Amino acid sequence: MSLKAENLSRKYGSGLLGRGKCIFRDVSFELEPGKTFGLMGPSGEGKSTLGRIISGLESPTDGAVFFNGNPLSRMKKAEYTTFRRKVQMMFQDPTDAFNPRKRIKHSIFEVLNLLEISGTERIRCTKEILKTTGLPEEVLLRYPSQLSGGQLQRLALGRILLLDPEYIVLDEPTSALDVSVQAQILHLLKNVQAEQGISYLLISHDEAVIRFMSDSCGELENGQMDLIEV
Amino acid sequence: MMQEEAYIRERPRKWKDFLAHNLNLDIRKYKRNLKKLNRGGLFLFTFFLILALFPSLFAPYSPTERFIPYEAPSTAHLLGTNDIGNDILSELVYGARISLMVGFASASISTLIGLMIGLFSGYFRGTPDELLMGFTDVVLIIPKIPLIIILGAFLHPSIWILILVLGLLSWESIARVVRSKTLQIRETGYVKSARCMGFSSFHIMVSDIFPNLIHVLLPKFMLATASAMISEASLSFLGLGDISMKSWGIMLSFAFSRGGFIRDMWWWYLPPGICITLCVMFIALMGFGFEGREKENGKRGVDSE
């Protein structure tokens, strides 16, 4: 499997006269299997937008994202379904990672229903998530507002892992957490990567986090991406 | 030291305190009173609802039974009788059912249409949003009552047509509110992750967005009910209602056209007027109550239970 971005550009507010602001242009990079690519840069430079484009939640103005050699915009339905399972995204704010009106178990079972997993297999998968994330079973009966940011972020990762992804876009996964919890989440991410060989695109403005996690790294500044040594 | 402490305590006085001290206007007390009013609204609305559901328990006679016409209030007929000798109290009790039914049915239609248009528009954005919101703006500027009068004049006056017309012409504000809330929810992490995981748009709208819209929809629904009841009363008063189903509006209309006002029979025209006012007020109070609770929830973060 491969995930590659080629000459991505994104413009906002192009309007009738086509004079919108170009956030970034000609951004190209490839995510290597089992490796982490760190993406840093100042606020407002389009790091999160780039993450959303890579995960298929937004379309680029120019350029394309290639999954297994096929551009996202011209994928057939079956290919797109595979892409949707294999490329996931984890968001910055853990407090809105789960629907506030559903218990955690419902949010997890929903994903298992999507994967058509039921019966004993469903229980096994749920237990496995709790084991990976190191959380007790009682969290399943709680609502998101009754859990801490760190617990929610662990569960968010656990839920993503149910889909058996190959690539995860991590959009500032620790910036809303305090330092000790940050370290726990980063170690959890590293362990999961070592066990399952997942590639990460780690977006962060914290250079220390990027250096700790990444194998290669790029900086998005003034609309261009420069590859830098880690 | 003591003075300084007093000063520190004094400092965080808010504008609410300022109003309370200087203008004798205590907002907090008003809020507490409003909460009581909401509860009162719910209680009294329940009374009207029971009246509408089981009219035979409260009405002394059947609304079609005839006695001596134009009778003044007496122990036999607490609110007297009308021009054809029907007991006015019984008419009033049975009228609650019609008025509330028109209110709730048309509010259900408008809420459903508003929900679907707003949800679709807010979720898909882009061209569907522009088209649907453009259409909503067009419906928004149509003067409702004159249009309903024209429709009522052309179509056979029936309560079902009235419900349909009122429902089909009052969904715009609901659609706008639902759209703006949907736009907000669409950008939350759980909707974005659901999209990323490959859930269908329909599933996301039904399972993730709709449950978070209920707090917005409920007050809107109550206010739409109140507004539909007023519209029904106005239209019935103008003679566009269904005379075979006597609502409070029709009772007022008959009191006006069949000598209730000329003979100064206050027991004929005042009770339906008071009932419409009270019922609409109670429903509106409940609506405001739900709206206030939604705002408080918004401040605290949504409380799941």
Side-chain angles (χ1 to χ4, degrees):
Chain A
M1 293 229 173
S2 68
L3 186 66
K4 203 162 70 172
E6 267 188 24
N7 304 324
L8 292 180
S9 302
R10 185 73 170 97
K11 254 185 188 179
Y12 271 126
S14 14
L16 284 174
L17 300 173
R19 288 168 64 191
K21 194 195 170 206
C22 188
I23 308 291
F24 52 77
R25 66 171 68 87
D26 292 332
V27 172
S28 305
F29 62 91
E30 187 172 355
L31 291 182
E32 288 174 42
K35 297 277 171 67
T36 302
F37 183 81
L39 183 63
M40 53 183 180
S43 298
E45 286 291 331
K47 301 188 296 293
S48 296
T49 307
L50 185 59
R52 285 198 296 273
I53 290 174
I54 296 289
S55 56
L57 290 178
E58 264 185 51
S59 316
T61 317
D62 272 315
V65 176
F66 291 87
F67 179 67
N68 289 341
N70 296 321
L72 274 195
S73 50
R74 270 177 277 156
M75 264 185 186
K76 285 179 188 143
K77 205 183 168 192
E79 282 175 323
Y80 188 73
T81 310
T82 318
F83 168 79
R84 276 278 58 107
R85 300 274 157 87
K86 295 295 170 192
V87 182
Q88 290 301 314
M89 189 163 179
M90 195 166 140
F91 298 93
Q92 183 176 3
D93 188 1
T95 53
D96 78 348
F98 289 91
N99 189 337
R101 302 208 181 275
K102 286 181 192 164
R103 287 177 200 272
I104 297 296
K105 73 168 181 187
H106 290 139
S107 295
I108 288 172
F109 288 173
E110 202 175 48
V111 180
L112 294 169
N113 286 342
L114 180 75
L115 298 169
E116 291 168 5
I117 294 173
S118 56
T120 49
E121 184 65 7
R122 172 190 280 217
I123 297 165
R124 193 192 61 78
C125 287
T126 314
K127 281 190 173 161
E128 207 174 287
I129 285 184
L130 294 175
K131 198 181 154 200
T132 316
T133 53
L135 291 168
E137 256 182 54
E138 57 157 12
V139 296
L140 293 175
L141 295 174
R142 302 266 185 94
Y143 283 98
S145 59
Q146 296 167 323
L147 296 171
S148 72
Q151 285 174 317
L152 286 170
Q153 202 65 314
R154 281 159 177 270
L155 281 167
L157 178 67
R159 193 167 65 143
I160 288 172
L161 293 177
L162 283 175
L163 293 149
D164 192 22
E166 298 281 330
Y167 301 92
I168 303 181
V169 177
L170 305 164
D171 187 4
E172 310 218 22
T174 55
S175 61
L177 307 170
D178 66 59
V179 182
S180 63
V181 185
Q182 269 187 25
Q184 288 174 9
I185 297 289
L186 293 178
H187 282 291
L188 177 66
L189 285 167
K190 276 217 156 191
N191 291 343
V192 167
Q193 187 174 43
E195 280 170 21
Q196 306 189 18
I198 301 172
S199 303
Y200 294 141
L201 169 62
L202 175 64
I203 299 167
S204 179
H205 57 256
D206 188 340
E207 206 175 321
V209 171
I210 295 275
R211 288 194 186 282
F212 175 71
M213 291 287 292
S214 312
D215 300 293
S216 53
C217 170
E219 185 170 17
L220 203 57
E221 201 165 6
N222 300 324
Q224 299 283 336
M225 192 169 79
D226 305 314
L227 292 175
I228 49 175
E229 288 292 316
V230 180
Chain B
M1 189 62 193
M2 282 301 286
Q3 267 183 344
E4 198 182 323
E5 275 178 12
Y7 170 72
I8 291 167
R9 272 205 303 276
E10 200 78 2
R11 267 290 286 258
R13 273 173 62 170
K14 292 177 185 163
W15 61 274
K16 286 173 190 168
D17 292 304
F18 177 81
L19 285 179
H21 286 281
N22 296 306
L23 301 172
N24 201 18
L25 188 71
D26 193 344
I27 300 279
R28 292 191 194 96
K29 203 169 156 191
Y30 166 73
K31 266 190 173 172
R32 277 198 297 276
N33 288 341
L34 193 69
K35 264 184 190 165
K36 274 184 208 159
L37 277 174
N38 290 330
R39 246 174 260 148
L42 188 67
F43 175 73
L44 289 163
F45 171 72
T46 316
F47 168 71
F48 274 109
L49 203 64
I50 293 171
L51 211 66
L53 290 174
F54 311 104
S56 51
L57 294 180
F58 300 91
Y61 309 101
S62 153
T64 49
E65 206 176 329
R66 291 188 172 194
F67 303 94
I68 304 158
Y70 297 122
E71 227 180 310
S74 61
T75 43
H77 303 286
L78 286 177
L79 292 175
T81 56
N82 66 9
D83 60 322
I84 50 168
N86 292 340
D87 180 59
I88 293 176
L89 179 63
S90 308
E91 267 192 332
L92 199 68
V93 172
Y94 277 89
R97 175 180 279 188
I98 311 291
S99 289
L100 281 174
M101 190 181 76
V102 173
F104 277 109
S106 59
S108 305
I109 295 175
S110 58
T111 308
L112 197 68
I113 298 174
L115 170 70
M116 285 197 293
I117 291 188
L119 197 58
F120 197 78
S121 178
Y123 184 77
F124 289 105
R125 300 194 302 190
T127 314
D129 182 29
E130 278 173 30
L131 285 174
L132 286 171
M133 283 301 116
F135 176 60
T136 307
D137 286 341
V138 171
V139 179
L140 200 65
I141 55 164
I142 295 173
K144 300 289 161 342
I145 295 287
L147 178 69
I148 295 173
I149 290 174
I150 293 169
L151 285 173
F154 276 102
L155 303 166
H156 177 68
S158 131
I159 207 154
W160 307 111
I161 289 183
L162 197 66
I163 288 173
L164 206 65
V165 170
L166 285 174
L168 289 177
L169 289 172
S170 50
W171 50 265
E172 329 84 55
S173 76
I174 299 175
R176 283 229 164 256
V177 170
V178 168
R179 173 190 172 265
S180 59
K181 189 76 185 164
T182 306
L183 282 172
Q184 193 190 341
I185 299 173
R186 190 186 188 277
E187 295 308 316
T188 54
Y190 57 91
V191 172
K192 281 195 277 192
S193 22
R195 284 170 59 205
C196 216
M197 285 174 181
F199 285 103
S200 67
S201 299
F202 179 74
H203 179 274
I204 295 171
M205 282 195 270
V206 171
S207 158
D208 285 327
I209 300 179
F210 174 68
N212 289 293
L213 288 174
I214 288 174
H215 280 277
V216 185
L217 276 178
L218 206 57
K220 275 283 171 198
F221 174 75
M222 299 315 287
L223 297 178
T225 308
S227 141
M229 282 178 71
I230 289 183
S231 301
E232 187 271 337
S234 327
L235 291 167
S236 299
F237 186 74
L238 292 173
L240 295 163
D242 185 351
I243 50 165
S244 64
M245 297 176 101
K246 265 193 186 171
S247 65
W248 292 331
I250 298 261
M251 280 179 75
L252 267 181
S253 169
F254 280 176
F256 183 71
S257 62
R258 297 182 184 179
F261 282 84
I262 295 166
R263 287 162 188 259
D264 205 17
M265 291 168 71
W266 57 265
W267 54 87
W268 191 358
Y269 60 79
L270 270 187
I274 291 173
C275 278
I276 294 169
T277 314
L278 287 181
C279 200
V280 165
M281 209 167 76
F282 298 152
I283 294 176
L285 273 176
M286 277 164 58
F288 291 141
F290 288 133
E291 219 166 26
R293 214 171 63 177
E294 159 67 5
K295 275 181 195 153
E296 276 174 26
N297 282 344
K299 275 181 206 159
R300 284 203 298 266
V302 182
D303 186 11
S304 341
E305 286 179 309

